[in-house]
Coordinates of all heavy atoms in Angstrom, one line a residue:
G1 N -10.2 3.7 -13.6 CA -10.1 3.4 -12.2 C -11.7 3.0 -11.8 O -12.5 2.9 -12.7
Q2 N -11.7 2.5 -10.6 CA -13.0 2.1 -10.1 C -13.7 3.3 -9.6 O -13.3 3.7 -8.6 CB -12.8 1.0 -9.1 CG -12.3 -0.3 -9.6 CD -11.8 -1.3 -8.6 OE1 -12.2 -1.0 -7.5 NE2 -11.5 -2.4 -9.0
T3 N -14.8 3.6 -10.1 CA -15.6 4.7 -9.6 C -17.0 4.3 -9.0 O -17.6 5.2 -8.3 CB -15.9 5.7 -10.8 OG1 -16.5 5.0 -11.9 CG2 -14.6 6.3 -11.4
E4 N -17.5 3.2 -9.3 CA -18.7 2.7 -8.8 C -18.6 2.3 -7.3 O -17.6 1.3 -7.1 CB -19.3 1.7 -9.5 CG -19.7 2.2 -11.0 CD -20.8 3.1 -10.9 OE1 -21.7 3.0 -10.0 OE2 -20.8 4.1 -11.7
P5 N -19.2 2.8 -6.4 CA -19.0 2.4 -4.9 C -19.4 0.9 -4.8 O -18.8 0.2 -4.0 CB -20.0 3.2 -4.1 CG -20.1 4.4 -5.0 CD -20.0 4.0 -6.4
S6 N -20.4 0.5 -5.5 CA -20.7 -1.0 -5.3 C -19.6 -1.9 -5.9 O -19.4 -3.0 -5.2 CB -22.0 -1.3 -6.2 OG -21.8 -1.0 -7.6
S7 N -18.7 -1.5 -6.7 CA -17.6 -2.4 -7.1 C -16.5 -2.5 -6.0 O -16.0 -3.5 -5.9 CB -17.1 -2.0 -8.5 OG -16.4 -0.7 -8.3
V8 N -16.3 -1.3 -5.4 CA -15.4 -1.2 -4.3 C -15.9 -2.1 -3.2 O -15.2 -2.9 -2.4 CB -15.1 0.2 -3.9 CG1 -14.2 0.2 -2.6 CG2 -14.4 0.8 -5.1
L9 N -17.1 -1.9 -2.7 CA -17.7 -2.6 -1.5 C -17.8 -4.1 -1.8 O -17.7 -4.8 -0.8 CB -19.2 -2.1 -1.4 CG -19.2 -0.6 -0.9 CD1 -20.6 -0.2 -0.8 CD2 -18.6 -0.5 0.5
A10 N -17.8 -4.6 -2.9 CA -17.8 -6.0 -3.3 C -16.3 -6.6 -3.1 O -16.2 -7.9 -3.1 CB -18.3 -6.4 -4.6
M11 N -15.3 -5.8 -2.9 CA -14.0 -6.4 -3.0 C -13.7 -6.7 -1.4 O -14.1 -6.1 -0.5 CB -13.0 -5.3 -3.4 CG -13.3 -5.0 -4.9 SD -12.3 -3.5 -5.4 CE -10.8 -4.3 -5.6
P12 N -12.9 -7.8 -1.2 CA -12.4 -8.0 0.1 C -11.5 -6.9 0.7 O -10.7 -6.4 0.0 CB -11.5 -9.3 -0.1 CG -11.5 -9.7 -1.5 CD -12.2 -8.5 -2.2
P13 N -11.8 -6.5 2.0 CA -11.1 -5.3 2.6 C -9.6 -5.5 2.6 O -8.9 -4.5 2.3 CB -11.6 -5.3 4.0 CG -13.0 -6.1 4.1 CD -12.8 -7.0 2.9
E14 N -9.1 -6.8 2.8 CA -7.7 -6.9 2.8 C -6.9 -6.6 1.4 O -5.8 -6.2 1.4 CB -7.5 -8.5 3.0 CG -6.0 -8.8 3.3 CD -5.8 -10.2 3.6 OE1 -6.3 -10.8 4.6 OE2 -5.1 -11.1 2.8
Q15 N -7.8 -6.4 0.4 CA -7.2 -6.1 -0.9 C -6.6 -4.8 -1.0 O -5.7 -4.3 -1.6 CB -8.1 -6.4 -2.0 CG -7.7 -6.0 -3.4 CD -8.5 -6.5 -4.4 OE1 -9.4 -7.3 -4.4 NE2 -8.5 -5.8 -5.5
F16 N -7.2 -3.8 0.0 CA -6.8 -2.5 0.1 C -5.7 -2.1 1.0 O -5.0 -1.1 1.1 CB -8.0 -1.6 0.4 CG -9.1 -1.7 -0.5 CD1 -10.2 -2.4 -0.4 CD2 -9.1 -0.9 -1.6 CE1 -11.3 -2.5 -1.3 CE2 -10.0 -0.9 -2.6 CZ -11.2 -1.7 -2.5
V17 N -5.3 -3.2 1.8 CA -4.2 -3.0 2.9 C -2.8 -3.2 2.1 O -2.7 -4.1 1.2 CB -4.4 -4.1 3.9 CG1 -3.2 -4.0 4.9 CG2 -5.6 -4.0 4.6
H18 N -1.9 -2.3 2.3 CA -0.6 -2.4 1.7 C 0.0 -3.8 2.0 O -0.2 -4.4 3.0 CB 0.2 -1.3 2.4 CG 1.5 -1.2 1.6 ND1 2.6 -2.0 1.7 CD2 1.9 -0.1 0.8 CE1 3.6 -1.5 1.0 NE2 3.2 -0.4 0.3
A19 N 0.6 -4.3 1.0 CA 1.2 -5.6 0.9 C 2.2 -6.0 2.1 O 2.0 -7.0 2.7 CB 1.9 -5.9 -0.4
D20 N 2.8 -4.9 2.6 CA 3.7 -5.0 3.7 C 3.0 -5.2 5.0 O 3.5 -5.5 6.0 CB 4.8 -3.9 3.7 CG 5.6 -3.9 2.5 OD1 5.9 -4.8 2.0 OD2 6.3 -2.8 2.4
E21 N 1.7 -4.9 5.1 CA 1.0 -4.9 6.3 C -0.2 -5.8 6.3 O -0.9 -5.9 7.3 CB 0.5 -3.4 6.6 CG 1.7 -2.5 6.7 CD 1.3 -1.1 7.1 OE1 0.1 -0.8 7.2 OE2 2.3 -0.4 7.3
R22 N -0.3 -6.7 5.2 CA -1.4 -7.6 5.2 C -1.4 -8.7 6.3 O -2.5 -9.0 6.9 CB -1.6 -8.2 3.8 CG -2.1 -7.3 2.8 CD -2.3 -8.0 1.6 NE -2.7 -6.9 0.5 CZ -2.5 -6.9 -0.7 NH1 -1.8 -7.9 -1.3 NH2 -2.9 -5.9 -1.4
V23 N -0.3 -9.1 6.6 CA -0.3 -10.2 7.6 C -0.6 -9.6 9.1 O -1.4 -10.2 9.7 CB 1.3 -10.7 7.8 CG1 1.5 -11.6 9.0 CG2 1.7 -11.6 6.6
R24 N -0.1 -8.4 9.4 CA -0.5 -7.7 10.6 C -2.1 -7.5 10.6 O -2.7 -7.7 11.6 CB 0.2 -6.4 10.8 CG 0.0 -5.8 12.0 CD 1.1 -4.7 12.4 NE 1.1 -3.8 11.3 CZ 0.4 -2.6 11.4 NH1 -0.3 -2.4 12.3 NH2 0.5 -1.7 10.4
F25 N -2.6 -7.1 9.4 CA -4.0 -6.9 9.3 C -4.9 -8.1 9.7 O -5.8 -8.1 10.4 CB -4.4 -6.2 8.1 CG -5.8 -5.9 7.8 CD1 -6.4 -4.8 8.4 CD2 -6.6 -6.8 7.1 CE1 -7.7 -4.5 8.1 CE2 -8.0 -6.6 6.9 CZ -8.6 -5.4 7.4
R26 N -4.3 -9.2 8.9 CA -5.2 -10.5 9.1 C -5.1 -10.9 10.4 O -6.0 -11.5 11.0 CB -4.4 -11.5 8.1 CG -5.3 -12.2 7.3 CD -4.4 -13.4 6.4 NE -4.0 -12.5 5.1 CZ -2.9 -12.5 4.7 NH1 -1.8 -13.2 5.3 NH2 -2.5 -12.0 3.5
E27 N -3.9 -10.9 11.2 CA -3.7 -11.4 12.5 C -4.7 -10.6 13.5 O -5.2 -11.2 14.3 CB -2.2 -11.2 13.1 CG -1.3 -12.1 12.4 CD 0.1 -11.9 12.6 OE1 0.4 -10.8 13.2 OE2 1.0 -12.8 12.2
R28 N -4.7 -9.3 13.2 CA -5.7 -8.5 14.0 C -7.2 -9.1 13.9 O -7.8 -9.3 14.9 CB -5.5 -7.0 13.7 CG -6.6 -6.1 14.4 CD -6.7 -4.7 13.8 NE -7.7 -4.0 14.5 CZ -7.5 -3.0 15.5 NH1 -6.3 -2.9 16.0 NH2 -8.5 -2.5 16.1
V29 N -7.7 -9.1 12.7 CA -9.0 -9.6 12.5 C -9.3 -11.0 13.0 O -10.2 -11.4 13.7 CB -9.3 -9.5 10.9 CG1 -10.7 -10.1 10.6 CG2 -9.3 -8.1 10.4
L30 N -8.2 -11.9 12.7 CA -8.3 -13.2 13.2 C -8.4 -13.2 14.8 O -9.2 -14.0 15.3 CB -7.2 -14.2 12.8 CG -7.4 -14.6 11.4 CD1 -6.1 -15.3 10.9 CD2 -8.6 -15.4 11.0
R31 N -7.6 -12.5 15.3 CA -7.5 -12.4 16.9 C -8.9 -12.0 17.4 O -9.4 -12.6 18.3 CB -6.6 -11.5 17.3 CG -6.5 -11.3 18.8 CD -5.2 -10.5 19.3 NE -5.4 -10.2 20.7 CZ -4.7 -9.2 21.2 NH1 -4.0 -8.4 20.5 NH2 -4.9 -8.8 22.5
Q32 N -9.6 -11.0 16.7 CA -10.7 -10.4 17.2 C -12.0 -11.5 17.0 O -12.8 -11.7 17.8 CB -11.2 -9.3 16.4 CG -10.5 -8.1 16.9 CD -11.0 -6.9 16.4 OE1 -10.6 -6.2 15.4 NE2 -12.0 -6.1 17.0
L33 N -11.9 -12.3 15.9 CA -12.8 -13.3 15.7 C -12.7 -14.4 16.7 O -13.8 -15.0 17.0 CB -12.8 -13.8 14.1 CG -13.1 -12.9 13.1 CD1 -12.8 -13.5 11.7 CD2 -14.7 -12.7 13.2
Q34 N -11.5 -14.9 16.9 CA -11.3 -15.9 17.8 C -11.6 -15.7 19.2 O -12.0 -16.5 19.9 CB -9.9 -16.5 17.6 CG -9.6 -17.2 16.3 CD -8.2 -17.5 15.9 OE1 -7.3 -17.1 16.7 NE2 -7.9 -18.2 14.9
E35 N -11.1 -14.5 19.6 CA -11.2 -14.2 21.0 C -12.4 -13.3 21.4 O -12.7 -13.1 22.6 CB -10.0 -13.5 21.6 CG -8.6 -14.4 21.3 CD -7.4 -13.6 21.7 OE1 -7.4 -12.5 22.2 OE2 -6.3 -14.1 21.3
G36 N -12.9 -12.6 20.5 CA -14.0 -11.6 20.7 C -13.4 -10.4 21.4 O -14.2 -9.7 22.1
T37 N -12.2 -10.2 21.3 CA -11.5 -8.9 22.0 C -11.7 -7.8 21.3 O -11.9 -7.7 19.8 CB -10.0 -9.1 22.1 OG1 -9.4 -9.5 20.8 CG2 -9.7 -10.4 23.0
E38 N -11.8 -6.6 21.9 CA -12.0 -5.4 21.3 C -10.5 -4.8 21.3 O -9.9 -4.6 22.4 CB -13.0 -4.4 22.2 CG -14.3 -5.0 22.2 CD -15.0 -5.2 20.7 OE1 -14.6 -4.4 19.9 OE2 -15.6 -6.3 20.7
L39 N -9.9 -4.5 20.3 CA -8.5 -3.8 20.2 C -8.7 -2.3 19.9 O -9.6 -1.8 19.3 CB -7.8 -4.5 19.1 CG -7.8 -6.1 19.2 CD1 -7.2 -6.6 18.1 CD2 -7.0 -6.4 20.5
G40 N -7.7 -1.6 20.5 CA -7.7 -0.2 20.2 C -7.3 0.2 18.8 O -7.1 -0.8 17.9
P41 N -7.3 1.3 18.5 CA -7.0 1.9 17.1 C -5.6 1.5 16.7 O -4.7 1.4 17.5 CB -7.2 3.3 17.0 CG -7.4 3.8 18.5 CD -7.7 2.5 19.3
E42 N -5.4 1.3 15.4 CA -4.0 0.9 14.9 C -3.9 1.6 13.6 O -4.9 1.6 12.7 CB -4.0 -0.6 14.8 CG -2.6 -1.3 14.6 CD -2.5 -2.7 14.8 OE1 -3.5 -3.4 15.2 OE2 -1.5 -3.3 14.4
E43 N -2.7 1.8 13.2 CA -2.3 2.5 12.0 C -2.0 1.4 10.9 O -1.3 0.5 11.2 CB -1.2 3.6 12.1 CG -1.5 4.7 12.8 CD -0.4 5.7 13.0 OE1 0.6 5.6 12.2 OE2 -0.5 6.6 13.8
F44 N -2.5 1.7 9.8 CA -2.2 0.8 8.6 C -2.0 1.8 7.3 O -2.6 2.8 7.3 CB -3.4 -0.2 8.2 CG -3.5 -1.3 9.3 CD1 -4.3 -1.1 10.2 CD2 -2.6 -2.4 9.0 CE1 -4.5 -2.2 11.2 CE2 -2.7 -3.4 10.1 CZ -3.7 -3.4 11.0
R45 N -1.2 1.2 6.3 CA -1.3 1.8 5.0 C -2.3 1.1 4.2 O -2.2 0.0 4.0 CB 0.1 1.7 4.4 CG 1.1 2.7 5.2 CD 2.5 2.6 4.6 NE 3.0 1.2 4.9 CZ 4.1 0.7 4.3 NH1 4.6 1.3 3.3 NH2 4.4 -0.6 4.7
L46 N -3.1 1.9 3.4 CA -4.0 1.4 2.5 C -3.7 2.0 1.2 O -3.0 2.9 0.9 CB -5.5 1.8 2.8 CG -6.2 1.4 4.1 CD1 -7.4 1.8 4.3 CD2 -6.0 0.0 4.4
I47 N -4.1 1.0 0.2 CA -3.9 1.4 -1.3 C -5.2 1.7 -1.8 O -6.1 0.8 -1.9 CB -3.2 0.3 -2.1 CG1 -1.8 -0.1 -1.5 CG2 -3.0 0.8 -3.5 CD1 -0.8 1.0 -1.3
R48 N -5.5 2.9 -2.3 CA -6.7 3.3 -3.0 C -6.8 2.7 -4.4 O -5.8 2.3 -5.0 CB -6.7 4.9 -3.1 CG -6.8 5.6 -1.8 CD -6.6 7.1 -2.1 NE -7.3 7.6 -3.4 CZ -8.0 8.6 -3.4 NH1 -8.5 9.2 -2.4 NH2 -8.5 8.9 -4.6
P49 N -8.0 2.6 -4.9 CA -8.2 1.9 -6.2 C -7.4 2.9 -7.2 O -6.9 2.2 -8.3 CB -9.7 2.2 -6.5 CG -10.3 2.1 -5.1 CD -9.3 2.8 -4.2
D50 N -6.9 4.1 -6.9 CA -6.2 4.8 -7.9 C -4.8 4.6 -7.7 O -3.9 5.4 -8.3 CB -6.6 6.2 -7.9 CG -6.3 7.0 -6.7 OD1 -5.7 6.4 -5.8 OD2 -6.7 8.3 -6.6
Q51 N -4.4 3.6 -6.7 CA -3.1 3.3 -6.4 C -2.4 4.3 -5.4 O -1.1 4.1 -5.1 CB -2.2 2.9 -7.6 CG -2.7 1.8 -8.4 CD -2.9 0.5 -7.5 OE1 -2.2 0.1 -7.0 NE2 -4.3 0.0 -7.7
R52 N -2.9 5.3 -4.9 CA -2.4 6.3 -3.9 C -2.4 5.5 -2.7 O -3.3 4.8 -2.3 CB -3.2 7.5 -3.9 CG -2.9 8.4 -5.0 CD -3.6 9.8 -4.9 NE -3.8 10.2 -3.6 CZ -4.9 11.0 -3.2 NH1 -5.7 11.3 -4.2 NH2 -5.1 11.3 -2.1
T53 N -1.3 5.8 -1.7 CA -1.2 5.3 -0.5 C -1.8 6.2 0.5 O -1.3 7.5 0.5 CB 0.1 4.9 -0.2 OG1 0.7 4.0 -1.2 CG2 0.4 4.3 1.2
L54 N -2.6 5.7 1.5 CA -3.1 6.5 2.6 C -2.6 5.9 3.9 O -2.5 4.6 3.9 CB -4.5 6.4 2.7 CG -5.3 7.0 1.4 CD1 -6.8 6.7 1.5 CD2 -5.1 8.5 1.2
V55 N -2.3 6.6 4.9 CA -2.2 6.1 6.1 C -3.4 6.4 6.9 O -4.0 7.4 7.0 CB -1.0 6.9 6.8 CG1 -0.9 6.3 8.4 CG2 0.3 6.8 6.2
V56 N -4.0 5.3 7.5 CA -5.3 5.3 8.2 C -5.1 4.9 9.7 O -4.2 4.1 10.0 CB -6.3 4.5 7.5 CG1 -6.5 5.1 6.0 CG2 -6.1 3.1 7.4
E57 N -6.1 5.2 10.4 CA -6.3 4.7 11.7 C -7.6 3.8 11.6 O -8.6 4.2 11.1 CB -6.7 5.8 12.7 CG -6.9 5.5 14.1 CD -7.3 6.5 15.1 OE1 -8.4 7.1 14.9 OE2 -6.5 6.9 15.8
F58 N -7.3 2.6 12.0 CA -8.3 1.5 11.9 C -8.8 1.1 13.2 O -8.0 0.8 14.0 CB -7.6 0.3 11.1 CG -8.5 -0.9 11.0 CD1 -9.5 -0.8 10.0 CD2 -8.4 -2.0 11.6 CE1 -10.5 -1.9 9.8 CE2 -9.2 -3.1 11.5 CZ -10.4 -3.0 10.5
L59 N -10.1 1.2 13.4 CA -10.7 0.7 14.7 C -11.8 -0.3 14.2 O -12.5 -0.1 13.4 CB -11.3 1.9 15.3 CG -12.0 1.7 16.7 CD1 -11.2 1.1 17.7 CD2 -12.8 2.9 17.2
S60 N -11.8 -1.5 15.0 CA -12.7 -2.5 14.6 C -13.2 -3.1 16.0 O -12.7 -3.1 17.0 CB -11.9 -3.7 13.9 OG -10.8 -4.1 14.5
V61 N -14.4 -3.5 15.7 CA -15.3 -4.2 16.7 C -15.8 -5.5 16.2 O -16.0 -5.7 15.0 CB -16.5 -3.2 17.3 CG1 -15.9 -2.0 17.9 CG2 -17.3 -2.9 16.1
T62 N -16.1 -6.4 17.2 CA -16.6 -7.7 16.9 C -18.0 -7.6 17.1 O -18.5 -7.0 18.0 CB -16.0 -8.7 17.8 OG1 -14.6 -8.7 17.7 CG2 -16.3 -10.1 17.4
L63 N -18.9 -8.3 16.1 CA -20.2 -8.4 16.3 C -20.8 -9.6 15.8 O -19.9 -10.5 15.2 CB -21.0 -7.3 15.7 CG -20.5 -6.9 14.2 CD1 -21.5 -7.7 13.3 CD2 -20.5 -5.5 13.9
E64 N -22.0 -10.0 15.8 CA -22.6 -11.2 15.2 C -23.3 -10.8 14.0 O -24.1 -9.9 13.9 CB -23.4 -11.9 16.2 CG -23.9 -13.3 15.8 CD -24.6 -14.0 16.8 OE1 -24.1 -14.1 17.9 OE2 -25.8 -14.4 16.5
Y65 N -23.1 -11.5 12.9 CA -23.8 -11.2 11.6 C -24.3 -12.6 11.1 O -23.4 -13.4 10.8 CB -22.8 -10.5 10.7 CG -23.4 -10.2 9.3 CD1 -24.4 -9.1 9.3 CD2 -23.3 -10.9 8.2 CE1 -24.9 -8.8 8.0 CE2 -23.8 -10.5 6.9 CZ -24.7 -9.6 6.9 OH -25.2 -9.2 5.7
D66 N -25.6 -12.7 10.9 CA -26.2 -13.9 10.2 C -25.7 -15.2 11.2 O -25.4 -16.2 10.7 CB -25.6 -14.3 8.8 CG -26.6 -13.6 7.8 OD1 -27.7 -13.1 8.1 OD2 -26.3 -13.5 6.7
G67 N -25.8 -14.9 12.5 CA -25.5 -16.0 13.4 C -23.9 -16.3 13.5 O -23.6 -17.3 14.2
R68 N -23.1 -15.6 12.9 CA -21.7 -15.9 12.9 C -20.9 -14.6 13.5 O -21.3 -13.5 13.1 CB -21.2 -16.3 11.6 CG -21.8 -17.6 11.1 CD -21.5 -17.9 9.7 NE -20.1 -17.8 9.4 CZ -19.6 -17.6 8.1 NH1 -20.4 -17.9 7.1 NH2 -18.4 -17.5 7.8
P69 N -19.7 -14.9 13.9 CA -18.9 -13.7 14.5 C -18.4 -13.0 13.3 O -18.1 -13.6 12.3 CB -17.6 -14.3 15.2 CG -17.9 -15.8 15.1 CD -19.2 -16.1 14.5
A70 N -18.3 -11.6 13.3 CA -17.9 -10.9 12.2 C -17.2 -9.6 12.8 O -17.3 -9.3 14.0 CB -19.0 -10.4 11.3
V71 N -16.3 -9.0 12.0 CA -15.6 -7.7 12.5 C -16.0 -6.7 11.4 O -16.0 -6.9 10.3 CB -14.0 -8.0 12.3 CG1 -13.3 -6.7 12.6 CG2 -13.6 -9.1 13.4
I72 N -16.3 -5.5 12.1 CA -16.5 -4.3 11.3 C -15.5 -3.3 11.6 O -15.1 -3.2 12.7 CB -18.1 -3.9 11.5 CG1 -18.3 -2.7 10.4 CG2 -18.3 -3.3 12.9 CD1 -19.8 -2.3 10.5
G73 N -15.0 -2.6 10.6 CA -14.0 -1.6 10.9 C -14.4 -0.3 10.4 O -15.2 -0.1 9.5
I74 N -13.9 0.7 11.2 CA -14.0 2.2 10.7 C -12.6 2.6 10.4 O -11.6 2.4 11.1 CB -14.5 2.9 12.0 CG1 -16.0 2.3 12.4 CG2 -14.7 4.3 11.6 CD1 -16.4 2.8 13.6
V75 N -12.4 3.3 9.2 CA -11.1 3.8 8.8 C -11.2 5.2 8.7 O -12.1 5.9 8.2 CB -10.9 3.2 7.5 CG1 -9.5 3.6 6.9 CG2 -10.9 1.7 7.6
R76 N -10.3 5.8 9.4 CA -10.0 7.3 9.4 C -8.7 7.7 8.7 O -7.7 7.3 9.2 CB -10.1 7.9 10.7 CG -10.0 9.4 10.7 CD -10.3 9.9 12.1 NE -9.3 9.6 13.0 CZ -8.6 10.5 13.7 NH1 -8.7 11.7 13.4 NH2 -7.5 10.2 14.4
D77 N -8.6 8.5 7.6 CA -7.4 8.8 6.9 C -6.8 9.9 7.7 O -7.3 10.9 8.2 CB -7.8 9.4 5.5 CG -6.6 9.9 4.8 OD1 -5.4 9.7 5.2 OD2 -6.9 10.4 3.6
I78 N -5.5 9.7 8.2 CA -4.8 10.4 9.0 C -3.5 10.9 8.1 O -2.6 11.5 8.7 CB -4.3 9.8 10.4 CG1 -3.6 8.4 10.1 CG2 -5.6 9.5 11.2 CD1 -3.0 7.9 11.4
S79 N -3.4 10.6 6.9 CA -2.3 10.9 6.1 C -1.9 12.5 6.3 O -0.8 12.9 6.4 CB -2.4 10.6 4.7 OG -2.8 9.4 4.5
F80 N -2.9 13.3 6.1 CA -2.8 14.7 6.2 C -2.1 15.2 7.4 O -1.2 15.9 7.5 CB -4.0 15.5 5.7 CG -3.7 17.0 5.7 CD1 -3.0 17.6 4.6 CD2 -4.3 17.9 6.7 CE1 -2.8 19.0 4.6 CE2 -4.1 19.3 6.6 CZ -3.2 19.7 5.6
A81 N -2.8 14.6 8.5 CA -2.4 15.0 9.9 C -0.9 14.6 10.2 O -0.1 15.3 10.7 CB -3.3 14.3 11.0
L82 N -0.5 13.3 9.7 CA 0.8 12.9 9.7 C 1.9 13.8 9.1 O 3.0 14.0 9.4 CB 1.0 11.4 9.4 CG 0.3 10.5 10.3 CD1 0.4 9.0 9.7 CD2 0.8 10.5 11.7
H83 N 1.4 14.1 7.7 CA 2.3 15.0 6.9 C 2.5 16.3 7.6 O 3.6 16.9 7.4 CB 1.5 15.2 5.4 CG 2.3 16.2 4.7 ND1 3.3 15.7 4.0 CD2 2.1 17.4 4.2 CE1 3.9 16.7 3.3 NE2 3.0 17.7 3.4
R84 N 1.6 16.9 8.3 CA 1.7 18.1 9.1 C 2.5 17.9 10.4 O 2.7 18.9 11.0 CB 0.3 18.7 9.4 CG -0.4 19.2 8.2 CD -1.7 20.1 8.5 NE -2.1 20.1 9.9 CZ -3.4 20.0 10.3 NH1 -4.2 20.0 9.5 NH2 -3.6 20.0 11.6
G85 N 2.7 16.7 10.6 CA 3.5 16.5 11.8 C 2.9 16.4 13.2 O 3.3 16.5 14.3
E86 N 1.4 16.3 13.2 CA 0.7 16.1 14.4 C 1.0 14.8 14.9 O 1.1 13.9 14.2 CB -0.8 16.3 14.0 CG -1.1 17.7 13.5 CD -2.6 17.8 13.2 OE1 -3.4 16.9 13.4 OE2 -3.0 19.0 12.6
V87 N 1.0 14.7 16.2 CA 1.2 13.5 17.0 C -0.2 13.0 17.4 O -0.9 13.9 17.9 CB 2.0 13.6 18.2 CG1 2.1 12.4 19.0 CG2 3.4 14.1 17.8
L88 N -0.7 11.9 16.8 CA -2.0 11.4 17.1 C -1.8 10.3 18.2 O -0.9 9.5 18.1 CB -2.6 10.8 16.0 CG -2.9 11.8 14.8 CD1 -3.3 11.2 13.6 CD2 -3.6 13.0 15.3
G89 N -2.7 10.2 19.2 CA -2.5 9.2 20.2 C -3.8 8.6 20.6 O -4.0 7.7 21.1

């Protein structure tokens, strides 16, 4: 498996999004880049480097990086909370 953080950080974030959710993920990021809109948290399934699936809450904001629009995301693993049956809102 990939154990070096630098090898994971060099990978495109979309690579970690579950194949069934990549289109929705791409659409979210493109919408933010094009419109500069701030969107609320959204759930996605991610695939870890060890191939385990996680359910995460993804929150992203638009900013400027090197003079160009960019999106930065914050990911919170909510798999355990969902497994316990907690309702997150």
Side-chain angles (χ1 to χ4, degrees):
Q2 296 176 357
T3 56
E4 292 297 318
S6 60
S7 65
V8 174
L9 291 173
M11 299 169 76
E14 187 176 295
Q15 184 169 334
F16 296 102
V17 178
H18 190 282
D20 294 343
E21 300 188 355
R22 285 186 185 146
V23 170
R24 186 166 57 94
F25 179 80
R26 228 178 276 130
E27 288 172 350
R28 176 187 174 101
V29 172
L30 288 174
R31 180 175 167 201
Q32 282 192 268
L33 287 172
Q34 292 169 349
E35 301 174 9
T37 57
E38 301 301 324
L39 304 173
E42 193 169 348
E43 289 181 15
F44 287 96
R45 287 178 293 161
L46 299 185
I47 306 297
R48 292 172 34 127
D50 65 6
Q51 300 306 303
R52 286 186 22 215
T53 300
L54 301 173
V55 179
V56 300
E57 180 181 72
F58 179 72
L59 179 63
S60 53
V61 294
T62 308
L63 54 95
E64 190 174 304
Y65 182 76
D66 274 346
R68 297 173 41 196
V71 173
I72 188 168
I74 300 166
V75 177
R76 182 173 70 116
D77 182 0
I78 60 172
S79 301
F80 184 71
L82 291 175
H83 178 73
R84 287 191 351 218
E86 294 179 7
V87 177
L88 302 175

